[in-house]
Amino acid sequence: QPRLVESGGGSVQAGGSLRLSCETSGNRYTKHCMGWFRQIPGKEREGVASIDVDGSTTYADSVKGRFTISQEPDGSTLYLQMNSLQPEDTAMYYCAGARFYRCGLSDGQYPYWGQGTQVTVSS
């Protein structure tokens, strides 16, 4: 069973930056698409960014120009660099993986999920 473990969350003031990491184990994700999602209690999970097998990336409109998704060449670790953070970015952030060439921002495509890491942005 593939295992995903997120880290790098924390508290930051508006305008600050954080870098989230997602380490994979049990199965390399070199040939799989990966994504970052976030969720606020009481709201639906939202797709933030995804990266396909060919390196193509997709971003939610709310984070374009501020967040960057990337991945180690061997697929061992997925990253989300978050700059110019705003209070509305506060959420639990999850990484997810799927054995497809291309995924996107729909959470229904992803069978594998991490436990999440909390990001809190204060004004």
PDB file of all heavy atoms in Angstrom, residues 8-20 38-41 67 82 84-93 117-123:
ATOM      1  N   GLY A   8       5.866  20.243   6.744  1.00  0.00           N
ATOM      2  CA  GLY A   8       6.174  21.611   6.347  1.00  0.00           C
ATOM      3  C   GLY A   8       5.101  22.626   6.678  1.00  0.00           C
ATOM      4  O   GLY A   8       5.302  23.828   6.469  1.00  0.00           O
ATOM      5  N   GLY A   9       3.970  22.175   7.190  1.00  0.00           N
ATOM      6  CA  GLY A   9       2.932  23.120   7.561  1.00  0.00           C
ATOM      7  C   GLY A   9       3.337  23.917   8.789  1.00  0.00           C
ATOM      8  O   GLY A   9       4.347  23.636   9.435  1.00  0.00           O
ATOM      9  N   GLY A  10       2.544  24.938   9.105  1.00  0.00           N
ATOM     10  CA  GLY A  10       2.831  25.753  10.269  1.00  0.00           C
ATOM     11  C   GLY A  10       2.040  27.033  10.237  1.00  0.00           C
ATOM     12  O   GLY A  10       1.076  27.172   9.466  1.00  0.00           O
ATOM     13  N   SER A  11       2.431  27.960  11.095  1.00  0.00           N
ATOM     14  CA  SER A  11       1.768  29.255  11.181  1.00  0.00           C
ATOM     15  C   SER A  11       2.671  30.332  10.609  1.00  0.00           C
ATOM     16  O   SER A  11       3.868  30.356  10.883  1.00  0.00           O
ATOM     17  CB  SER A  11       1.441  29.577  12.635  1.00  0.00           C
ATOM     18  OG  SER A  11       0.534  28.638  13.167  1.00  0.00           O
ATOM     19  N   VAL A  12       2.084  31.221   9.839  1.00  0.00           N
ATOM     20  CA  VAL A  12       2.849  32.281   9.188  1.00  0.00           C
ATOM     21  C   VAL A  12       1.967  33.505   9.050  1.00  0.00           C
ATOM     22  O   VAL A  12       0.736  33.386   9.005  1.00  0.00           O
ATOM     23  CB  VAL A  12       3.360  31.793   7.805  1.00  0.00           C
ATOM     24  CG1 VAL A  12       2.204  31.515   6.862  1.00  0.00           C
ATOM     25  CG2 VAL A  12       4.350  32.765   7.209  1.00  0.00           C
ATOM     26  N   GLN A  13       2.579  34.660   8.998  1.00  0.00           N
ATOM     27  CA  GLN A  13       1.821  35.889   8.796  1.00  0.00           C
ATOM     28  C   GLN A  13       1.536  36.101   7.310  1.00  0.00           C
ATOM     29  O   GLN A  13       2.249  35.570   6.442  1.00  0.00           O
ATOM     30  CB  GLN A  13       2.589  37.081   9.357  1.00  0.00           C
ATOM     31  CG  GLN A  13       2.646  37.105  10.875  1.00  0.00           C
ATOM     32  CD  GLN A  13       3.185  38.420  11.417  1.00  0.00           C
ATOM     33  OE1 GLN A  13       3.998  39.071  10.780  1.00  0.00           O
ATOM     34  NE2 GLN A  13       2.722  38.805  12.602  1.00  0.00           N
ATOM     35  N   ALA A  14       0.505  36.867   7.041  1.00  0.00           N
ATOM     36  CA  ALA A  14       0.137  37.174   5.660  1.00  0.00           C
ATOM     37  C   ALA A  14       1.336  37.758   4.924  1.00  0.00           C
ATOM     38  O   ALA A  14       2.075  38.587   5.467  1.00  0.00           O
ATOM     39  CB  ALA A  14      -1.031  38.144   5.629  1.00  0.00           C
ATOM     40  N   GLY A  15       1.520  37.287   3.695  1.00  0.00           N
ATOM     41  CA  GLY A  15       2.656  37.701   2.897  1.00  0.00           C
ATOM     42  C   GLY A  15       3.849  36.776   3.009  1.00  0.00           C
ATOM     43  O   GLY A  15       4.798  36.882   2.229  1.00  0.00           O
ATOM     44  N   GLY A  16       3.807  35.860   3.956  1.00  0.00           N
ATOM     45  CA  GLY A  16       4.909  34.937   4.171  1.00  0.00           C
ATOM     46  C   GLY A  16       4.866  33.745   3.239  1.00  0.00           C
ATOM     47  O   GLY A  16       3.995  33.635   2.367  1.00  0.00           O
ATOM     48  N   SER A  17       5.822  32.840   3.441  1.00  0.00           N
ATOM     49  CA  SER A  17       5.957  31.658   2.583  1.00  0.00           C
ATOM     50  C   SER A  17       6.100  30.399   3.414  1.00  0.00           C
ATOM     51  O   SER A  17       6.594  30.442   4.543  1.00  0.00           O
ATOM     52  CB  SER A  17       7.193  31.802   1.683  1.00  0.00           C
ATOM     53  OG  SER A  17       7.087  32.916   0.829  1.00  0.00           O
ATOM     54  N   LEU A  18       5.685  29.299   2.827  1.00  0.00           N
ATOM     55  CA  LEU A  18       5.899  27.972   3.386  1.00  0.00           C
ATOM     56  C   LEU A  18       6.165  27.014   2.245  1.00  0.00           C
ATOM     57  O   LEU A  18       5.681  27.216   1.121  1.00  0.00           O
ATOM     58  CB  LEU A  18       4.677  27.486   4.172  1.00  0.00           C
ATOM     59  CG  LEU A  18       4.431  28.078   5.559  1.00  0.00           C
ATOM     60  CD1 LEU A  18       3.088  27.580   6.089  1.00  0.00           C
ATOM     61  CD2 LEU A  18       5.548  27.688   6.516  1.00  0.00           C
ATOM     62  N   ARG A  19       6.906  25.950   2.540  1.00  0.00           N
ATOM     63  CA  ARG A  19       7.138  24.897   1.568  1.00  0.00           C
ATOM     64  C   ARG A  19       6.670  23.582   2.156  1.00  0.00           C
ATOM     65  O   ARG A  19       7.225  23.104   3.151  1.00  0.00           O
ATOM     66  CB  ARG A  19       8.610  24.800   1.198  1.00  0.00           C
ATOM     67  CG  ARG A  19       8.887  23.871   0.030  1.00  0.00           C
ATOM     68  CD  ARG A  19      10.358  23.575  -0.071  1.00  0.00           C
ATOM     69  NE  ARG A  19      10.728  23.031  -1.373  1.00  0.00           N
ATOM     70  CZ  ARG A  19      11.855  22.351  -1.602  1.00  0.00           C
ATOM     71  NH1 ARG A  19      12.712  22.148  -0.615  1.00  0.00           N
ATOM     72  NH2 ARG A  19      12.125  21.894  -2.804  1.00  0.00           N
ATOM     73  N   LEU A  20       5.666  23.001   1.540  1.00  0.00           N
ATOM     74  CA  LEU A  20       5.164  21.706   1.964  1.00  0.00           C
ATOM     75  C   LEU A  20       5.897  20.595   1.218  1.00  0.00           C
ATOM     76  O   LEU A  20       6.240  20.749   0.044  1.00  0.00           O
ATOM     77  CB  LEU A  20       3.669  21.592   1.699  1.00  0.00           C
ATOM     78  CG  LEU A  20       2.775  22.677   2.302  1.00  0.00           C
ATOM     79  CD1 LEU A  20       1.314  22.340   2.022  1.00  0.00           C
ATOM     80  CD2 LEU A  20       3.023  22.840   3.785  1.00  0.00           C
ATOM     81  N   ARG A  38      -6.623  21.027  -0.359  1.00  0.00           N
ATOM     82  CA  ARG A  38      -6.780  21.636   0.957  1.00  0.00           C
ATOM     83  C   ARG A  38      -8.239  21.609   1.365  1.00  0.00           C
ATOM     84  O   ARG A  38      -9.128  21.554   0.523  1.00  0.00           O
ATOM     85  CB  ARG A  38      -6.238  23.063   0.970  1.00  0.00           C
ATOM     86  CG  ARG A  38      -6.977  24.056   0.077  1.00  0.00           C
ATOM     87  CD  ARG A  38      -6.221  25.378   0.047  1.00  0.00           C
ATOM     88  NE  ARG A  38      -6.907  26.381  -0.770  1.00  0.00           N
ATOM     89  CZ  ARG A  38      -6.390  27.568  -1.053  1.00  0.00           C
ATOM     90  NH1 ARG A  38      -5.183  27.917  -0.592  1.00  0.00           N
ATOM     91  NH2 ARG A  38      -7.071  28.428  -1.796  1.00  0.00           N
ATOM     92  N   GLN A  39      -8.442  21.634   2.672  1.00  0.00           N
ATOM     93  CA  GLN A  39      -9.803  21.556   3.185  1.00  0.00           C
ATOM     94  C   GLN A  39      -9.933  22.342   4.472  1.00  0.00           C
ATOM     95  O   GLN A  39      -9.088  22.237   5.370  1.00  0.00           O
ATOM     96  CB  GLN A  39     -10.221  20.108   3.411  1.00  0.00           C
ATOM     97  CG  GLN A  39     -11.683  19.932   3.734  1.00  0.00           C
ATOM     98  CD  GLN A  39     -12.108  18.483   3.692  1.00  0.00           C
ATOM     99  OE1 GLN A  39     -11.305  17.571   3.881  1.00  0.00           O
ATOM    100  NE2 GLN A  39     -13.380  18.243   3.428  1.00  0.00           N
ATOM    101  N   ILE A  40     -11.005  23.101   4.548  1.00  0.00           N
ATOM    102  CA  ILE A  40     -11.383  23.823   5.760  1.00  0.00           C
ATOM    103  C   ILE A  40     -12.537  23.048   6.380  1.00  0.00           C
ATOM    104  O   ILE A  40     -13.415  22.574   5.658  1.00  0.00           O
ATOM    105  CB  ILE A  40     -11.824  25.257   5.426  1.00  0.00           C
ATOM    106  CG1 ILE A  40     -10.682  26.009   4.734  1.00  0.00           C
ATOM    107  CG2 ILE A  40     -12.290  26.002   6.660  1.00  0.00           C
ATOM    108  CD1 ILE A  40     -11.101  27.332   4.162  1.00  0.00           C
ATOM    109  N   PRO A  41     -12.568  22.900   7.705  1.00  0.00           N
ATOM    110  CA  PRO A  41     -13.672  22.167   8.338  1.00  0.00           C
ATOM    111  C   PRO A  41     -15.028  22.694   7.883  1.00  0.00           C
ATOM    112  O   PRO A  41     -15.268  23.903   7.863  1.00  0.00           O
ATOM    113  CB  PRO A  41     -13.447  22.426   9.825  1.00  0.00           C
ATOM    114  CG  PRO A  41     -11.972  22.616   9.938  1.00  0.00           C
ATOM    115  CD  PRO A  41     -11.570  23.348   8.693  1.00  0.00           C
ATOM    116  N   PHE A  67       1.651  29.849  -5.853  1.00  0.00           N
ATOM    117  CA  PHE A  67       2.050  28.493  -5.471  1.00  0.00           C
ATOM    118  C   PHE A  67       2.732  27.796  -6.639  1.00  0.00           C
ATOM    119  O   PHE A  67       2.379  28.019  -7.802  1.00  0.00           O
ATOM    120  CB  PHE A  67       0.825  27.671  -5.072  1.00  0.00           C
ATOM    121  CG  PHE A  67       0.171  28.076  -3.784  1.00  0.00           C
ATOM    122  CD1 PHE A  67       0.490  29.256  -3.132  1.00  0.00           C
ATOM    123  CD2 PHE A  67      -0.804  27.242  -3.222  1.00  0.00           C
ATOM    124  CE1 PHE A  67      -0.122  29.623  -1.956  1.00  0.00           C
ATOM    125  CE2 PHE A  67      -1.425  27.592  -2.035  1.00  0.00           C
ATOM    126  CZ  PHE A  67      -1.092  28.790  -1.410  1.00  0.00           C
ATOM    127  N   MET A  82       4.676  27.754  -1.389  1.00  0.00           N
ATOM    128  CA  MET A  82       3.569  28.694  -1.244  1.00  0.00           C
ATOM    129  C   MET A  82       4.113  30.059  -0.848  1.00  0.00           C
ATOM    130  O   MET A  82       4.707  30.202   0.228  1.00  0.00           O
ATOM    131  CB  MET A  82       2.581  28.194  -0.182  1.00  0.00           C
ATOM    132  CG  MET A  82       2.066  26.787  -0.457  1.00  0.00           C
ATOM    133  SD  MET A  82       0.779  26.273   0.691  1.00  0.00           S
ATOM    134  CE  MET A  82       1.699  26.240   2.226  1.00  0.00           C
ATOM    135  N   SER A  84       3.459  34.511  -0.815  1.00  0.00           N
ATOM    136  CA  SER A  84       2.407  35.533  -0.675  1.00  0.00           C
ATOM    137  C   SER A  84       1.151  34.943  -0.044  1.00  0.00           C
ATOM    138  O   SER A  84       0.033  35.147  -0.540  1.00  0.00           O
ATOM    139  CB  SER A  84       2.085  36.148  -2.044  1.00  0.00           C
ATOM    140  OG  SER A  84       3.221  36.733  -2.624  1.00  0.00           O
ATOM    141  N   LEU A  85       1.334  34.215   1.029  1.00  0.00           N
ATOM    142  CA  LEU A  85       0.201  33.550   1.680  1.00  0.00           C
ATOM    143  C   LEU A  85      -0.772  34.558   2.257  1.00  0.00           C
ATOM    144  O   LEU A  85      -0.383  35.630   2.743  1.00  0.00           O
ATOM    145  CB  LEU A  85       0.708  32.624   2.772  1.00  0.00           C
ATOM    146  CG  LEU A  85       1.297  31.301   2.257  1.00  0.00           C
ATOM    147  CD1 LEU A  85       2.172  30.641   3.315  1.00  0.00           C
ATOM    148  CD2 LEU A  85       0.184  30.361   1.822  1.00  0.00           C
ATOM    149  N   GLN A  86      -2.046  34.196   2.183  1.00  0.00           N
ATOM    150  CA  GLN A  86      -3.123  35.031   2.679  1.00  0.00           C
ATOM    151  C   GLN A  86      -3.962  34.249   3.683  1.00  0.00           C
ATOM    152  O   GLN A  86      -3.944  33.007   3.679  1.00  0.00           O
ATOM    153  CB  GLN A  86      -3.996  35.497   1.514  1.00  0.00           C
ATOM    154  CG  GLN A  86      -3.249  36.316   0.466  1.00  0.00           C
ATOM    155  CD  GLN A  86      -2.621  37.575   1.054  1.00  0.00           C
ATOM    156  OE1 GLN A  86      -3.253  38.289   1.839  1.00  0.00           O
ATOM    157  NE2 GLN A  86      -1.375  37.836   0.674  1.00  0.00           N
ATOM    158  N   PRO A  87      -4.692  34.939   4.557  1.00  0.00           N
ATOM    159  CA  PRO A  87      -5.512  34.222   5.544  1.00  0.00           C
ATOM    160  C   PRO A  87      -6.462  33.199   4.908  1.00  0.00           C
ATOM    161  O   PRO A  87      -6.735  32.163   5.522  1.00  0.00           O
ATOM    162  CB  PRO A  87      -6.275  35.352   6.231  1.00  0.00           C
ATOM    163  CG  PRO A  87      -5.358  36.527   6.143  1.00  0.00           C
ATOM    164  CD  PRO A  87      -4.698  36.393   4.799  1.00  0.00           C
ATOM    165  N   GLU A  88      -6.929  33.471   3.710  1.00  0.00           N
ATOM    166  CA  GLU A  88      -7.841  32.526   3.049  1.00  0.00           C
ATOM    167  C   GLU A  88      -7.142  31.254   2.591  1.00  0.00           C
ATOM    168  O   GLU A  88      -7.810  30.312   2.151  1.00  0.00           O
ATOM    169  CB  GLU A  88      -8.545  33.193   1.861  1.00  0.00           C
ATOM    170  CG  GLU A  88      -7.621  33.870   0.876  1.00  0.00           C
ATOM    171  CD  GLU A  88      -7.447  35.361   1.159  1.00  0.00           C
ATOM    172  OE1 GLU A  88      -7.475  35.752   2.345  1.00  0.00           O
ATOM    173  OE2 GLU A  88      -7.285  36.115   0.188  1.00  0.00           O
ATOM    174  N   ASP A  89      -5.822  31.202   2.702  1.00  0.00           N
ATOM    175  CA  ASP A  89      -5.086  29.975   2.400  1.00  0.00           C
ATOM    176  C   ASP A  89      -5.039  29.032   3.596  1.00  0.00           C
ATOM    177  O   ASP A  89      -4.539  27.902   3.490  1.00  0.00           O
ATOM    178  CB  ASP A  89      -3.650  30.292   1.967  1.00  0.00           C
ATOM    179  CG  ASP A  89      -3.586  31.073   0.662  1.00  0.00           C
ATOM    180  OD1 ASP A  89      -4.329  30.709  -0.269  1.00  0.00           O
ATOM    181  OD2 ASP A  89      -2.801  32.032   0.589  1.00  0.00           O
ATOM    182  N   THR A  90      -5.540  29.482   4.734  1.00  0.00           N
ATOM    183  CA  THR A  90      -5.559  28.648   5.930  1.00  0.00           C
ATOM    184  C   THR A  90      -6.417  27.411   5.700  1.00  0.00           C
ATOM    185  O   THR A  90      -7.572  27.514   5.304  1.00  0.00           O
ATOM    186  CB  THR A  90      -6.106  29.445   7.124  1.00  0.00           C
ATOM    187  OG1 THR A  90      -5.200  30.513   7.418  1.00  0.00           O
ATOM    188  CG2 THR A  90      -6.263  28.552   8.344  1.00  0.00           C
ATOM    189  N   ALA A  91      -5.832  26.244   5.916  1.00  0.00           N
ATOM    190  CA  ALA A  91      -6.524  24.975   5.687  1.00  0.00           C
ATOM    191  C   ALA A  91      -5.613  23.815   6.062  1.00  0.00           C
ATOM    192  O   ALA A  91      -4.421  24.017   6.324  1.00  0.00           O
ATOM    193  CB  ALA A  91      -6.931  24.840   4.210  1.00  0.00           C
ATOM    194  N   MET A  92      -6.186  22.627   6.080  1.00  0.00           N
ATOM    195  CA  MET A  92      -5.385  21.402   6.133  1.00  0.00           C
ATOM    196  C   MET A  92      -5.020  21.058   4.696  1.00  0.00           C
ATOM    197  O   MET A  92      -5.899  20.996   3.833  1.00  0.00           O
ATOM    198  CB  MET A  92      -6.187  20.277   6.763  1.00  0.00           C
ATOM    199  CG  MET A  92      -5.397  18.991   6.948  1.00  0.00           C
ATOM    200  SD  MET A  92      -4.152  19.117   8.239  1.00  0.00           S
ATOM    201  CE  MET A  92      -5.201  18.946   9.697  1.00  0.00           C
ATOM    202  N   TYR A  93      -3.752  20.835   4.459  1.00  0.00           N
ATOM    203  CA  TYR A  93      -3.266  20.529   3.121  1.00  0.00           C
ATOM    204  C   TYR A  93      -2.904  19.048   3.013  1.00  0.00           C
ATOM    205  O   TYR A  93      -2.210  18.513   3.889  1.00  0.00           O
ATOM    206  CB  TYR A  93      -2.052  21.387   2.772  1.00  0.00           C
ATOM    207  CG  TYR A  93      -2.417  22.799   2.410  1.00  0.00           C
ATOM    208  CD1 TYR A  93      -2.860  23.699   3.372  1.00  0.00           C
ATOM    209  CD2 TYR A  93      -2.346  23.244   1.091  1.00  0.00           C
ATOM    210  CE1 TYR A  93      -3.224  24.988   3.042  1.00  0.00           C
ATOM    211  CE2 TYR A  93      -2.691  24.542   0.749  1.00  0.00           C
ATOM    212  CZ  TYR A  93      -3.131  25.408   1.732  1.00  0.00           C
ATOM    213  OH  TYR A  93      -3.497  26.704   1.394  1.00  0.00           O
ATOM    214  N   THR A 117      -1.278  18.245   6.559  1.00  0.00           N
ATOM    215  CA  THR A 117      -0.463  19.140   7.372  1.00  0.00           C
ATOM    216  C   THR A 117      -1.177  20.496   7.415  1.00  0.00           C
ATOM    217  O   THR A 117      -1.659  20.984   6.398  1.00  0.00           O
ATOM    218  CB  THR A 117       0.970  19.261   6.809  1.00  0.00           C
ATOM    219  OG1 THR A 117       1.769  20.051   7.687  1.00  0.00           O
ATOM    220  CG2 THR A 117       1.006  19.862   5.412  1.00  0.00           C
ATOM    221  N   GLN A 118      -1.263  21.066   8.620  1.00  0.00           N
ATOM    222  CA  GLN A 118      -2.046  22.285   8.812  1.00  0.00           C
ATOM    223  C   GLN A 118      -1.234  23.521   8.433  1.00  0.00           C
ATOM    224  O   GLN A 118      -0.070  23.667   8.834  1.00  0.00           O
ATOM    225  CB  GLN A 118      -2.503  22.392  10.267  1.00  0.00           C
ATOM    226  CG  GLN A 118      -3.269  23.653  10.588  1.00  0.00           C
ATOM    227  CD  GLN A 118      -4.639  23.689   9.925  1.00  0.00           C
ATOM    228  OE1 GLN A 118      -5.309  22.666   9.795  1.00  0.00           O
ATOM    229  NE2 GLN A 118      -5.051  24.884   9.496  1.00  0.00           N
ATOM    230  N   VAL A 119      -1.873  24.401   7.688  1.00  0.00           N
ATOM    231  CA  VAL A 119      -1.301  25.700   7.351  1.00  0.00           C
ATOM    232  C   VAL A 119      -2.232  26.777   7.901  1.00  0.00           C
ATOM    233  O   VAL A 119      -3.438  26.764   7.615  1.00  0.00           O
ATOM    234  CB  VAL A 119      -1.144  25.873   5.823  1.00  0.00           C
ATOM    235  CG1 VAL A 119      -0.750  27.298   5.483  1.00  0.00           C
ATOM    236  CG2 VAL A 119      -0.114  24.885   5.290  1.00  0.00           C
ATOM    237  N   THR A 120      -1.677  27.679   8.707  1.00  0.00           N
ATOM    238  CA  THR A 120      -2.461  28.765   9.290  1.00  0.00           C
ATOM    239  C   THR A 120      -1.789  30.091   8.952  1.00  0.00           C
ATOM    240  O   THR A 120      -0.608  30.282   9.250  1.00  0.00           O
ATOM    241  CB  THR A 120      -2.564  28.609  10.809  1.00  0.00           C
ATOM    242  OG1 THR A 120      -3.161  27.338  11.110  1.00  0.00           O
ATOM    243  CG2 THR A 120      -3.418  29.723  11.398  1.00  0.00           C
ATOM    244  N   VAL A 121      -2.545  30.987   8.332  1.00  0.00           N
ATOM    245  CA  VAL A 121      -2.022  32.292   7.927  1.00  0.00           C
ATOM    246  C   VAL A 121      -2.791  33.369   8.681  1.00  0.00           C
ATOM    247  O   VAL A 121      -4.018  33.452   8.580  1.00  0.00           O
ATOM    248  CB  VAL A 121      -2.149  32.507   6.417  1.00  0.00           C
ATOM    249  CG1 VAL A 121      -1.483  33.829   6.016  1.00  0.00           C
ATOM    250  CG2 VAL A 121      -1.526  31.350   5.647  1.00  0.00           C
ATOM    251  N   SER A 122      -2.080  34.170   9.434  1.00  0.00           N
ATOM    252  CA  SER A 122      -2.711  35.221  10.221  1.00  0.00           C
ATOM    253  C   SER A 122      -2.534  36.577   9.532  1.00  0.00           C
ATOM    254  O   SER A 122      -1.541  36.818   8.858  1.00  0.00           O
ATOM    255  CB  SER A 122      -2.118  35.265  11.623  1.00  0.00           C
ATOM    256  OG  SER A 122      -0.716  35.468  11.553  1.00  0.00           O
ATOM    257  N   SER A 123      -3.505  37.440   9.742  1.00  0.00           N
ATOM    258  CA  SER A 123      -3.470  38.764   9.096  1.00  0.00           C
ATOM    259  C   SER A 123      -2.696  39.761   9.942  1.00  0.00           C
ATOM    260  O   SER A 123      -2.370  39.508  11.092  1.00  0.00           O
ATOM    261  CB  SER A 123      -4.890  39.260   8.860  1.00  0.00           C
ATOM    262  OG  SER A 123      -5.600  39.311  10.072  1.00  0.00           O
TER     263      SER A 123
END
